[in-house]
Amino acid sequence: MTESLSLKEEIVKYKDNTFTSCVDEIAVEFPLTIFINQVEFATMVCSPENLDELVLGFLASEGVIRFRKEIKDMTIDRDQGFAYVELYKDDFINQQSFSKRFIGSCCGKSRQFYFQNDVRTAKTSMVTTTVTAAQCLSLMKRMQADSLVFQNTGGVHNAALCSTEELLVSRSDIGRHNALDKLYGYSLLNGIPVKDKILVFSGRISSEILTKAAKIGVGIVLSKSAPTDLAIRLAEDLNITAVGFIRGTSFNIYSKPERIIL
């Protein structure tokens, strides 16, 4: 069963010095607690759709698993807000790895802050994929047009996995990290190689988003918003092309510009 990402609420609207009653569409917020081998691992606040993809992508992103086949069983209890995951292995948690910051070098060029598990799971991109400027604009336009939930609520983030020519799959979530995890989970569930794919994203490219993209394995990230300075430095270290402010007929390339061509 797929639950709605939004619901109707009666509100009071102010406009032109007048209060009126009306019905507005509101994004749904859903807490999901993940148990691994009967041990509580994490609680996520998310949109209640594609939860199997979310859990799988999150666990892969956190370095708990690498492949779908490592999961023995997974059950989603929507009524209680629980996800139960059984792994074939028992020694899956080193709590320090998931909570302790680590100062290290990605590939010797600069010192950056990571979580310890990020050092193990973030991949330096080796892709040779190129995309034209016109395709960047087109892919962003398609992703935005595909998100009816955002158009109706303004309360979710959107992300899409694309080839240079088309949008392959898109996901929406109230959490920007969650939207990327759903794409990661989708690719793992369906055996889709991602190295030659492009990640199109609606939100700001922060260091965490850039690291998440590196974990997924893409080499090009397109966003309609801005990057942070640390995200740009990470993109250089991880050999990822970061493009921001894709709006109308223009955009800015912040790292590895050779992958964007005319």
Side-chain angles (χ1 to χ4, degrees):
M1 183 183 76
T2 299
E3 295 188 18
S4 175
L5 298 185
S6 63
L7 51 78
K8 305 288 186 181
E9 291 280 358
E10 289 190 10
I11 67 166
V12 176
K13 187 178 184 70
Y14 173 81
K15 184 177 181 181
D16 298 331
N17 204 36
T18 302
F19 291 107
T20 56
S21 296
C22 63
V23 175
D24 196 15
E25 193 164 346
I26 309 296
V28 172
E29 185 172 339
F30 182 80
L32 180 69
T33 299
I34 301 173
F35 291 84
I36 305 178
N37 295 354
Q38 290 82 51
V39 176
E40 184 175 340
F41 181 69
T43 296
M44 314 173 72
V45 178
C46 60
S47 297
E49 186 178 64
N50 306 113
L51 295 180
D52 54 342
E53 296 174 357
L54 174 61
V55 173
L56 182 58
F58 174 71
L59 295 183
S61 180
E62 291 300 305
V64 176
I65 63 169
R66 292 184 61 197
F67 306 104
R68 171 65 181 88
K69 63 184 180 182
E70 295 176 54
I71 294 180
K72 184 177 183 180
D73 185 55
M74 180 167 65
T75 304
I76 308 292
D77 184 343
R78 291 178 175 274
D79 293 335
Q80 299 298 321
F82 295 146
Y84 300 101
V85 179
E86 291 293 327
L87 302 180
Y88 285 103
K89 59 184 178 182
D90 293 324
D91 55 339
F92 66 92
I93 292 182
N94 178 349
Q95 195 59 45
Q96 283 190 333
S97 296
F98 295 97
S99 62
K100 186 176 180 181
R101 281 289 182 178
F102 175 78
I103 302 175
S105 175
C106 185
C107 51
K109 296 179 182 178
S110 62
R111 295 173 63 83
Q112 307 291 2
F113 287 91
Y114 293 87
F115 282 110
Q116 284 187 343
N117 61 310
D118 290 344
V119 178
R120 295 184 294 106
T121 55
K123 313 175 189 76
T124 299
S125 176
M126 304 302 291
V127 305
T128 57
T129 302
T130 59
V131 59
T132 69
Q135 287 170 331
C136 291
L137 299 175
S138 175
L139 291 175
M140 179 59 66
K141 186 179 296 184
R142 293 183 197 181
M143 184 199 69
Q144 291 179 287
D146 193 62
S147 180
L148 296 178
V149 178
F150 176 80
Q151 295 171 29
N152 293 335
T153 69
V156 296
H157 291 279
N158 309 309
L161 201 62
C162 306
S163 69
T164 57
E165 298 289 342
E166 62 180 335
L167 187 152
L168 302 175
V169 58
S170 63
R171 292 291 181 261
S172 297
D173 200 281
I174 60 168
R176 54 199 178 118
H177 302 84
N178 298 342
L180 270 61
D181 281 335
K182 287 178 178 180
L183 292 180
Y184 197 3
Y186 177 89
S187 66
L188 291 172
L189 280 171
N190 295 279
I192 297 174
V194 296
K195 289 185 178 180
D196 60 339
K197 303 302 187 296
I198 298 166
L199 182 63
V200 186
F201 185 56
S202 65
R204 182 180 72 254
I205 306 177
S206 65
S207 60
E208 292 134 319
I209 291 299
L210 198 285
T211 303
K212 185 83 72 173
K215 292 177 179 182
I216 294 172
V218 297
I220 301 174
V221 179
L222 309 179
S223 173
K224 75 170 186 178
S225 192
T228 64
D229 68 323
L230 180 53
I232 295 172
R233 295 202 298 274
L234 283 172
E236 288 289 348
D237 275 356
L238 294 166
N239 198 33
I240 292 175
T241 299
V243 181
F245 284 112
I246 303 179
R247 301 175 183 181
T249 59
S250 66
F251 55 76
N252 299 336
I253 308 173
Y254 295 93
S255 61
K256 305 299 177 183
E258 60 273 12
R259 292 195 183 101
I260 312 298
I261 62 175
L262 293 176

